[in-house]
């Protein structure tokens, strides 16, 4: 019995180390976020609805705009948590639990 616990602990430890190594490799190699990652971040910051409104009006692509215009889509504003589900209903088909969780993580790590 003790041997099985010891073996499972070693397997868990190796899995965690392997996961950290893979994450570190991807972090070093990756240059740009994918489209899915960008949309997930927009949802988690509560700005997907706002982004869609701007996009329907012609968007910011190909126009002269300041960096603060783009950064505004990736900052968490007041009431963002409550906007996640309604924005998803209008613009996406995913359930909001993941984006609510990501929102809480972003609030914790953003300065």
């Amino acid at each position: 019995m003790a041997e099985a616990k010891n073996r499972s602990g070693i397997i868990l430890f190796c899995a965690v180390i392997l996961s950290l190594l893979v994450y570190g490799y991807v972090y070093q190699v990756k240059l740009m976020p994918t489209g899915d990652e960008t949309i997930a971040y927009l949802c988690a910051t509560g700005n997907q609805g706002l982004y869609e409104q701007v996009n329907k009006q012609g968007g910011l692509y190909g126009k002269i705009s300041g960096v603060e215009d783009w950064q505004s889509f990736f900052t968490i504003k007041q009431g963002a948590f409550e906007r996640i589900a309604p924005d998803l209903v209008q613009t996406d088909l995913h359930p909001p639990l993941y984006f609510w969780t990501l929102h809480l993580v972003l609030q914790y790590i953003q300065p």
Side-chain angles (χ1 to χ4, degrees), residues 5-110:
K5 280 186 176 182
N6 192 21
R7 187 177 302 149
S8 63
I10 290 171
I11 291 171
L12 177 63
F13 177 75
C14 290
V16 168
I17 295 299
L18 181 63
S19 297
L20 290 173
L21 289 173
V22 168
Y23 177 77
Y25 174 75
V26 169
Y27 183 75
Q28 289 295 322
V29 171
K30 190 170 186 155
L31 299 176
M32 295 272 303
T34 64
D36 285 341
E37 292 168 340
T38 304
I39 294 298
Y41 204 87
L42 280 169
C43 290
T45 57
N47 292 313
Q48 186 175 7
L50 176 63
Y51 178 78
E52 287 296 321
Q53 287 176 352
V54 170
N55 214 16
K56 284 180 183 176
Q57 297 169 356
L60 296 174
Y61 296 110
K63 297 179 181 171
I64 296 175
S65 60
V67 70
E68 61 275 351
D69 294 332
W70 288 99
Q71 286 177 338
S72 69
F73 293 119
F74 298 100
T75 56
I76 298 173
K77 298 174 188 76
Q78 195 70 16
F81 192 85
E82 292 81 18
R83 281 196 313 272
I84 291 173
D87 284 355
L88 285 171
V89 167
Q90 297 297 319
T91 61
D92 208 315
L93 54 90
H94 293 92
L97 180 60
Y98 169 76
F99 302 104
W100 285 331
T101 306
L102 184 57
H103 175 82
L104 295 174
V105 170
L106 290 175
Q107 277 189 318
Y108 179 73
I109 64 171
Q110 276 189 349

